[in-house]
Amino acid sequence: MRVRAAVLYRIKTPFEVQEVELLPPREGEVLVRVAAAGVCHSDYHMVTGHLPHPLPAVLGHEGSGVVEALGPGVTSVRPGDHVIPLFKAPCGHCFYCLRGRPALCDFSVKARSSGCLLDGTTRLRLDGQPLFHHAMVACFAEYLVAPEQALLKIRPDIPLDRAAVVGCAVTTGVGAVLFAGKVTPGSSVLIVGAGGVGLSAVQGARLAGADPIIVADVIPAKLEWARKFGATYTINARERDVVAATRDLTSGRGADHAFEVIGDLHTAKQAYEATRKGGIFVQVGVLPAGSQLAFDSLQLIRDEKTIQPCTYGSVNFRKDMPMFLDLYMSGRLNLDDLITRRFKLDEINVAYEAMLRGDVARGVITLD
Ligand code: COD
Ligand code: ZN
Ligand code: ZN
């Protein structure tokens, strides 16, 4: 079938929205009509080349949609089901999956890094040539074909644009606080970077009962949103030293838990420095490929800080993502205000410019 998709041909060039060919789902695969796709910074790291990806490709890893058709042998979803694509499709029964850590499952790593589906081929075509799928989900398109393992069936009563942001931002941010940082009531939290993922981490800190919740960013509007989502103190990192300001707010000690949610060497060091002795430093952002994050070994031992990296919120997808949706439906997670602007697929480059300028908390592309 012919579908409209945003194609990235080369790094450092804009997306080109055009018709591409999408082949029918094969054994174990599902055709999904995409309803909404979030404008996450991680895709932009592939545009800049900071995170390498095979090109040309259809990117987009934060989304939601409705199952349209099934390939042979699919048992876990049916046409009409509402789904969130998982950008790290787990097998469901290996060592890691059984221990509730599906993001560490090796099942789809090879396919994902090659831009293909599980059988090593693509369903996307451009002028008869293979067009790569990002993370086997490729949501910047009207339709996607993905393996059934990459789909999470969700409750049908949640608006699909709100569900989309649970596909990455909410799960990554709230999960980082609850599961990687294991934040407990009354503990002090610092969050460096208040984008879609960082603002979700702020909401996670509020859910966990953290106090104070300190947020640093360089854009005043981001700090205002952070306060709306639960920050009790905000730091404009252009005007104040984040480490000194955090220590001032925590009796000179530093934060019990500090989260880096940007993917930058300088802010990673800042968040580590702003963590108190014996505290937990959680690295959510991924630094450009090949970067080394180094720590002074004497200080490392002496200060006993835990360095805790976090991927996909360290969540158990099929248990925790439905919980986040339930928390939205019961009014405990605010997804309505996280999405501050909606765009058409044709406006994807405008949507990314808005993200880079800091004009949006989270932008979402709606495809209906
Ligand atoms: N000090 C403080 N804040 C800063 C600074 C700085 N020096 N520089 C930038 N910021 C702020 C920006 O103003 C912005 O508010 C925020 O940092 C970044 O927000 P967004 O909206 O651009 O980014 P997110 O929230 O969509 O993504 C953040 C990630 C850390 C997830 C992303 O950048 C990343 O590292 N992705 C790779 C990891 C990955 O692939 N994860 C899985 C899918 S997300
Ligand atoms: Zn597994
Ligand atoms: Zn993301």
Side-chain angles (χ1 to χ4, degrees), residues 91-94 97 105:
C91 74
H93 45 74
C94 72
C97 286
C105 174

Side-chain angles (χ1 to χ4, degrees), residues 68-92:
E68 189 87 3
L70 308 180
V74 172
T75 55
S76 57
V77 290
R78 287 195 208 163
D81 283 350
H82 290 195
V83 292
I84 291 177
L86 302 171
F87 60 83
K88 292 193 168 191
C91 74

Side-chain angles (χ1 to χ4, degrees), residues 262-277:
I262 300 168
D264 174 87
L265 195 54
H266 173 68
T267 48
K269 287 187 170 162
Q270 215 170 38
Y272 177 76
E273 282 302 316
T275 306
R276 71 158 165 83
K277 286 187 279 183

Side-chain angles (χ1 to χ4, degrees), residues 143-219:
Y143 288 83
L144 62 85
V145 169
E148 64 177 322
Q149 292 89 342
L151 298 174
L152 172 77
K153 182 181 166 180
I154 59 168
R155 54 190 285 178
D157 53 348
I158 178 162
L160 282 165
D161 56 352
R162 265 46 67 85
V165 294
V166 173
C168 174
V170 172
T171 295
T172 304
V174 179
V177 171
L178 299 184
F179 303 114
K182 298 189 172 64
V183 172
T184 49
S187 48
S188 54
V189 163
L190 166 69
I191 292 162
V192 184
V197 180
L199 290 170
S200 299
V202 176
Q203 293 212 58
R206 186 173 61 183
L207 267 178
D211 186 44
I213 301 173
I214 307 162
V215 179
D217 201 290
V218 287
I219 297 174

Side-chain angles (χ1 to χ4, degrees), residues 188 212 245-255:
S188 54
T246 304
R247 288 195 181 136
D248 282 350
L249 293 164
T250 53
S251 310
R253 282 189 300 270

Side-chain angles (χ1 to χ4, degrees), residues 27-272:
E27 177 98 27
E29 295 172 357
V30 180
L31 174 69
V32 176
R33 179 176 61 75
V34 179
V39 179
C40 181
H41 204 122
S42 298
D43 299 289
Y44 196 75
H45 288 313
M46 289 156 220
V47 176
T48 58
H50 282 166
L51 297 179
H53 194 283
L55 298 176
V58 176
L59 304 184
H61 63 280
E62 173 177 294
S64 65
V66 181
V67 172
E68 189 87 3
L70 308 180
V74 172
T75 55
S76 57
V77 290
R78 287 195 208 163
D81 283 350
H82 290 195
V83 292
I84 291 177
L86 302 171
F87 60 83
K88 292 193 168 191
C91 74
H93 45 74
C94 72
F95 178 94
Y96 294 108
C97 286
L98 292 179
R99 281 158 183 78
R101 296 305 323 277
L104 302 182
C105 174
D106 292 324
F107 170 67
S108 63
V109 175
K110 200 168 147 219
R112 280 190 275 126
S113 56
S114 64
C116 296
L117 300 189
L118 292 169
D119 69 354
T121 66
T122 74
R123 299 301 153 265
L124 287 162
R125 294 281 185 281
L126 188 67
D127 303 325
Q129 296 300 311
L131 174 61
F132 296 108
H133 303 240
H134 174 47
M136 300 201 297
V137 291
C139 316
F140 291 155
E142 291 170 318
Y143 288 83
L144 62 85
V145 169
E148 64 177 322
Q149 292 89 342
L151 298 174
L152 172 77
K153 182 181 166 180
I154 59 168
R155 54 190 285 178
D157 53 348
I158 178 162
L160 282 165
D161 56 352
R162 265 46 67 85
V165 294
V166 173
C168 174
V170 172
T171 295
T172 304
V174 179
V177 171
L178 299 184
F179 303 114
K182 298 189 172 64
V183 172
T184 49
S187 48
S188 54
V189 163
L190 166 69
I191 292 162
V192 184
V197 180
L199 290 170
S200 299
V202 176
Q203 293 212 58
R206 186 173 61 183
L207 267 178
D211 186 44
I213 301 173
I214 307 162
V215 179
D217 201 290
V218 287
I219 297 174
K222 298 291 185 133
L223 298 175
E224 213 165 290
W225 278 315
R227 286 191 288 274
K228 181 174 199 166
F229 289 119
T232 56
Y233 293 94
T234 53
I235 303 168
N236 185 329
R238 284 225 173 92
E239 294 169 358
R240 288 166 71 201
D241 180 81
V242 174
V243 179
T246 304
R247 288 195 181 136
D248 282 350
L249 293 164
T250 53
S251 310
R253 282 189 300 270
D256 296 328
H257 309 257
F259 298 82
E260 199 276 354
V261 202
I262 300 168
D264 174 87
L265 195 54
H266 173 68
T267 48
K269 287 187 170 162
Q270 215 170 38
Y272 177 76

